[in-house]
Amino acid sequence: MSDERALADTQGRFVQVVKSGRKVNDLEWLSGRILLSNKRLVLASNEGKRQIALAKVSTVKNRKNANQAMTAVSGYFSVQTGSDVFLVAPADADAFEEHLYTALLDGEVVLVKHPAVEGGVVRDTGWEKGRINIESDVVGLGVASGQFVEIELVDVGTVDARDGTVRGDERRVLEVEHTDDEGTSVQTYVSGTSRHVSILESLVRQGELQNATDADLNQTEMEVLMALYSGVSPFEIPEFVGLEVDEVEAVFDRLVEEGILREKRVRRDVRLKARGRNIASDVISDQ
């Protein structure tokens, strides 16, 4: 293949779980060599070689959101091409996945609306062409107007994929909540082919799953969180919630440990992380 470049070459295991649309019974993992280029994924074992053209990959699901219960193998991802599905478990799954998402998405042209929502307010922002840039745990979107949007996976709050009208056509739309450089909650919308949206959704959902909202907070901790969510400065929290400074700092420590806040600098500025924004948003929705 012309302009083909090797991206990764490692050992691992793999198995086909769906063949021609039918689940495969009596699954048996094969050990062998796993190679990735910017064109192909190659699975080679003593029983032969299987080549998967990346252009035909319709979905990828990493081990954090794949449905298959393959507990014998901890680090794997699934790849669907046509009506076939393979599970692939490289020796270093995290590094290999990064190469795979880069090969599938980097440089692809999509439509971007940013910010579609800012601070909970819907903005009258138009769709613009953008180019995807994948770099270690960050999805970058270079927009035609000159803006560059960065979505850190650890900062992703919620993700939603739906069908919507984009420039007069019915298209798949991915909605990603994260924060901008100022710490304001924003939503970025991305639209493109069903394939691009599906693969990008799988990538950003890694962050969403890390930021689940299951946290056991007491009344005081919830009051502090909601105050921060509503825009109260961390330095004004003691007076706002009626607590001593050392009591508020103890709450900050607890919320940082829970992954709900991140510390911007010592003594004492904090910012809500995605998990904290999700908790506060859920509370508001329930009221």
Side-chain angles (χ1 to χ4, degrees):
M1 295 184 180
S2 61
D3 302 323
E4 186 169 14
R5 305 184 310 277
L7 299 177
D9 184 349
T10 187
Q11 298 294 313
R13 293 194 285 172
F14 39 86
V15 61
Q16 185 169 4
V17 294
V18 178
K19 185 174 183 179
S20 300
R22 295 179 177 272
K23 290 185 178 180
V24 178
N25 297 320
D26 302 323
L27 299 179
E28 181 180 356
W29 286 89
L30 300 175
S31 297
R33 190 177 175 189
I34 304 172
L35 303 96
L36 177 69
S37 75
N38 59 319
K39 304 284 187 179
R40 296 176 292 172
L41 174 64
V42 180
L43 310 175
S45 71
N46 291 334
E47 297 189 12
K49 181 188 295 185
R50 181 63 184 257
Q51 300 189 50
I52 300 172
L54 297 187
K56 294 184 178 180
V57 172
S58 57
T59 62
V60 175
K61 290 186 178 181
N62 56 64
R63 61 197 179 283
K64 301 179 187 69
N65 58 26
N67 293 325
Q68 293 87 356
M70 305 294 288
T71 55
V73 177
S74 59
Y76 68 90
F77 56 87
S78 71
V79 176
Q80 180 172 353
T81 173
S83 55
D84 296 335
V85 178
F86 297 85
L87 300 187
V88 184
D92 187 341
D94 289 332
F96 198 93
E97 277 183 6
E98 183 178 334
H99 288 305
L100 179 61
Y101 281 116
T102 299
L104 290 168
L105 293 173
D106 198 66
E108 296 293 341
V109 176
V110 291
L111 291 172
V112 179
K113 180 185 283 193
H114 176 85
V117 180
E118 183 176 19
V121 179
V122 177
R123 297 300 184 189
D124 186 20
T125 310
W127 289 96
E128 296 184 84
K129 283 188 176 181
R131 190 177 299 275
I132 300 175
N133 175 259
I134 304 296
E135 185 175 348
S136 188
D137 297 328
V138 177
V139 176
L141 298 166
V143 185
S145 61
Q147 187 179 25
F148 189 77
V149 181
E150 285 192 333
I151 303 173
E152 297 182 56
L153 296 186
V154 295
D155 186 48
V156 172
T158 57
V159 178
D160 187 32
R162 60 175 177 80
D163 293 325
T165 302
V166 179
R167 291 185 170 180
D169 296 323
E170 192 74 9
R171 302 174 66 119
R172 197 71 176 157
V173 177
L174 184 65
E175 303 176 354
V176 185
E177 190 274 342
H178 57 110
T179 58
D180 62 14
D181 292 338
E182 303 301 319
T184 301
S185 172
V186 296
Q187 288 185 33
T188 299
Y189 293 177
V190 181
S191 183
T193 66
S194 296
R195 172 177 174 269
H196 289 151
V197 172
S198 174
I199 296 171
L200 185 58
E201 178 186 359
S202 172
L203 177 58
V204 296
R205 280 198 186 279
Q206 293 186 42
E208 181 193 44
L209 291 170
Q210 292 172 5
N211 297 313
T213 61
D214 54 339
D216 185 16
L217 303 183
N218 61 36
Q219 182 64 31
T220 299
E221 291 163 346
M222 185 61 73
E223 287 178 4
V224 170
L225 186 152
M226 294 304 297
L228 289 168
Y229 186 77
S230 64
V232 177
S233 165
F235 303 106
E236 298 171 345
I237 290 293
E239 181 178 358
F240 188 85
V241 297
L243 295 174
E244 298 296 327
V245 172
D246 58 345
E247 293 178 298
V248 171
E249 297 223 337
V251 173
F252 284 168
D253 287 334
R254 153 86 166 137
L255 297 181
V256 168
E257 290 175 3
E258 284 290 318
I260 292 169
L261 297 182
R262 63 177 170 211
E263 198 166 14
K264 293 175 63 178
R265 61 180 174 81
V266 175
R267 293 310 182 249
R268 182 83 190 235
D269 196 2
V270 293
R271 175 182 293 182
L272 279 173
K273 294 179 68 174
R275 191 166 179 229
R277 299 195 306 274
N278 288 350
I279 293 171
S281 178
D282 287 347
V283 171
I284 291 173
S285 296
D286 290 340
Q287 290 178 348

